[in-house]
Amino acid sequence: MAGSGEQTVRTRARLAMLLTEASTSALGVADGRVAGVYLRSGAPRLLRLAVLVGLPGPLFSPWWRLHVDRPFPVADAYRLGTRVTLPNATETMRRYPQFAAGLPFAFGSVHEPVPGGADPLGVLTVLRPAVAESVDGPVDPESLGRLAEGLGAELLALADGDPAAVLWDGEPLCVRPPPRLPARTAAGRFSWDPATSLVHADDRLHALLGMRPGEFAGTEAALADAVAPAEARRVLSALRHAAAGRPPGAPLGLRSPDGTPRLLVLSPADPAPAEDGGGTRIGGVVLDPGGTTLADGAADLLPQGVLCLDRVGLIVYVNAAAARLTGRDREWLLGRELSEGLPWLTDPPCDDHLRSALLSFAPVHFHVRRPSPVRPGEGGRPKDEEGDWLAVSAHPGPELLTCTLVPASRMDAPAGPSPKARPPQESVASGHSLEPLYRPIALAIALTDAVTARQVSAVVMQELLPAFGGRCLAIYLLQERHLYLAWETGFPQGFLARFEGVGLDARLPGVDTLTTGRPLFFESMQQLASSYPGIPLDADVGARAFLPLIASGRPVGSCILGFDRPRRFGAQESTVLTALAGLIAHAMERAQRYDSEAALARGLQQALLPRRLSTHPRVETAGRYLPGTQGMDVGGDWYDVVGSGDGLALVIGDVQGHGVQAAATMGQLRSAVRAFALGDRPPDEVLSGTNLLLIDLDPGQFASCCYVWLDPATGRARVARAGHPPPLLRRPDGRTRLLDIPGGVVLGVDPHARYPVTELLLEPDAILALYTDGLVERPGADIDEGITALRLALARAGGVGGSLAGVADRLTSTARQAADRPDDVALLLTALRSRPAGP
């Protein structure tokens, strides 16, 4: 057993090393700032973030777990086995609005599946600066693909036939990215005499600006050109304001010649010597946040607080002013995670601002209320909860995030491209973090496409379980004062059957949460059993949340979320879960209305479709109808066969839209066509009369139709078409062609429309196929491709003397088996037999 344990430890260490190496390599290959690897987990269809390079883990915690069916780029890359590239925020919002809602910052990303047999082993993901509309930008697709392939091969070798060896079920490893730039001086000082325009710079500033002392002209104009050549006017303006006694309270955000952030801090300096004429001088410090260290003394002289974090959130530098403003001992802060050393800088809404700086790589400015100063040392505690306001500016660099702290009373509007900072009073009213709001926003977006109770439940499962680390989920809906199970996952088989149909008088947490309207949280199974003695439990350990589903003040049902270990439900998490329950309730209420309307539409549709088709001894017909599986399911497709004079009228049509209205309109048009056909009216008059009727019935609604009058004795057919796909004709020898029949516009548009009539001859044992576009249209494909596929299928399916019913079944088999039919399907086949057709 010991040997087995040692082997497991070595395997996990090797796994962590492989993932870390691949992630850090991906940073260079994809010009990234943050990278990581998602792996499959022990939970079915759940990916977990295994390694994160270049970002503090807590700032990315909402995305540690992802269900593979969610509309996220990582999930798509895994499920489809193909690279997903998002060059910028615009493309991210267009393709993945849920992902963009949680990270609404200007960055791009690329997600590469890690191959490993039938399904990928995981996904290599890289976050990088946004680029224009180019698909790949600076990404080398071949190199990134080879990197993922190499990682997949290494993981398969490490697994050695045991897939569990490369599963990940813990929290991600957070790793520092490799250094991009050599260490250099990151701060330099100068003094400026407004009376003489002379600037004295120290050696560190000369080194920072990349010039020797003799190369610097020593004037304010030369200083401005050297510090930020593209923004020299802003530097000179700041100097003039400082000379007038109005030095800026916050660093001036600038761009160095190579485009990286640079800070300029101005403050009154010591008076000039008497021999120089005396007078007030201006002192300044130039900071380069891209440097790997600020611990060279210059920043310690600043009146502003300065602290630096590395890319995983560790505090690596604190100047004296920052220690004073935060009330912490600088030696105690150094080396600690920001969330531990200064947790109030990672609480909402600060977490969103820090995420923005680290992901969009642009400076951000915000206000934060600090606790009252604490006593130096680890054990210090605030004296009260009021505290004071600080203005914070965060400037990202390749290796460091440099934050400056200024008392808010001294904070002017920050310069630079970031939005104007709000005053503290406004921050109190409107400052919010997207992290607690992210789940409701993401769930609301996902629920927009869910219309049935089952679809709503599936979305809830995909959103809630990964987000909160849940193991099981159950949704009950209220019907006639009893609760019935609508969805379950993760519970032992048959466990929930005993609660099916419980009344509202039962003493159960799922009932109580609905009748009281209050969520119930149990941090352990023991706590649940204590509150509800004798209640059956599905596990010995874990935690449970019971959420009421109430919409518009009306009870809808209850939701149960289960966890496999005890946990504490904080106030923020409880609030988020309660908000999610409200979204679920409204979606379920909408789904119930949908189900009722869909049932009504289906009943109406079935009542209006012909139960039997008119027959003739020499004519065989077969019709098929399949409702769509999206939207309201039932649409306005119909077909009919009507006796008309000495012949038969063959009709197929398609009313725009779905639902009860479309089905009702279809019924009216079918009745009108039947009436005209029974009156033995010519095809063009049938369509013209139906066109005028539809315009009178419902202006703005339209329908397509194809009408064929067939003489069984001679095989002569007369065809008229109103915006409908042209028929197909299969000859007895198997040759099949699309009939090029001129037609008029769809019905319901033009009261003066004309519908030309085309004559053709139907040979014995030939098959005439009328169909609606639902049988031939495919998302992303041209309808002509679908018609060609149907023509070839008809050529293969139809045989002399074969059953038309069998041919109809074969032509609609693919559509019938499809789980996703975006539109209705209607098909009407007709054959003229050389001998009388059977009954």
Side-chain angles (χ1 to χ4, degrees), residues 302-339:
L302 289 174
Q304 291 82 11
V306 178
L307 64 87
C308 297
L309 315 173
D310 69 4
R311 296 290 301 192
V312 296
L314 291 182
I315 301 173
V316 297
Y317 174 74
V318 184
N319 75 346
R324 184 179 68 255
L325 290 171
T326 60
R328 284 291 191 184
D329 182 82
R330 65 192 297 184
E331 283 72 24
W332 184 83
L333 285 172
L334 288 174
R336 295 185 182 274
E337 292 185 2
L338 184 66
S339 58

Side-chain angles (χ1 to χ4, degrees), residues 33 77 274 435 615 656:
R33 297 296 183 269
E435 183 158 355
T615 60
Q656 171 204 22

